[in-house]
């Protein structure tokens, strides 16, 4: 059963989410950057609302995914996406 306090906190912080088939959720919010690029912050949680992953996606001015920066569970740094930008 999800932690109701943590769920409310995630809903407030991120504002948007989608339900996952395993009962978890994928939360996200977007930040407009310079030159028309966008950063999307994504947090994935399990059915108990425990964080299983957190990463940043960078989209170019055309809305194409060009870079991913996985931050949790292991910080893997920035990784260019093939075919992006």
């Amino acid at each position: 059963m999800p932690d109701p306090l943590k769920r409310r906190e995630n809903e407030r912080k991120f504002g948007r989410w989608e339900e996952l088939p395993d009962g978890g959720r994928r939360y996200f919010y977007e930040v407009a950057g310079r030159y028309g690029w966008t950063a999307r912050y994504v947090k994935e949680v399990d059915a108990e609302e425990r964080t299983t992953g957190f990463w940043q996606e960078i989209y170019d001015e055309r809305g194409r995914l060009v870079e991913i920066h996985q931050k949790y569970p292991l910080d893997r740094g920035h990784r260019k996406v093939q075919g992006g930008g």
Side-chain angles (χ1 to χ4, degrees):
M1 179 156 187
D3 178 337
L5 294 175
K6 191 66 177 166
R7 178 162 278 192
R8 276 197 304 271
E9 179 183 338
N10 283 328
E11 289 174 352
R12 181 187 55 77
K13 261 182 165 172
F14 288 88
R16 296 170 58 192
W17 62 88
E18 58 189 21
E19 304 290 334
L20 300 175
D22 65 358
R25 282 183 165 183
R26 182 176 297 128
Y27 295 96
F28 55 94
Y29 70 91
E30 294 179 356
V31 177
R34 298 181 205 178
Y35 314 112
W37 288 43
T38 303
R40 174 184 282 182
Y41 293 88
V42 184
K43 178 180 183 178
E44 213 165 77
V45 300
D46 65 13
E48 269 78 57
E49 210 69 18
R50 292 182 299 236
T51 303
T52 58
F54 184 77
W55 62 93
Q56 178 188 44
E57 300 172 343
I58 305 296
Y59 294 86
D60 69 11
E61 69 280 354
R62 294 184 181 143
R64 294 178 301 191
L65 179 63
V66 295
E67 194 172 289
I68 296 175
H69 180 182
Q70 179 181 326
K71 299 172 182 258
Y72 182 86
L74 181 64
D75 191 334
R76 297 180 185 239
H78 292 270
R79 181 177 51 88
K80 299 275 185 201
V81 175
Q82 189 169 356

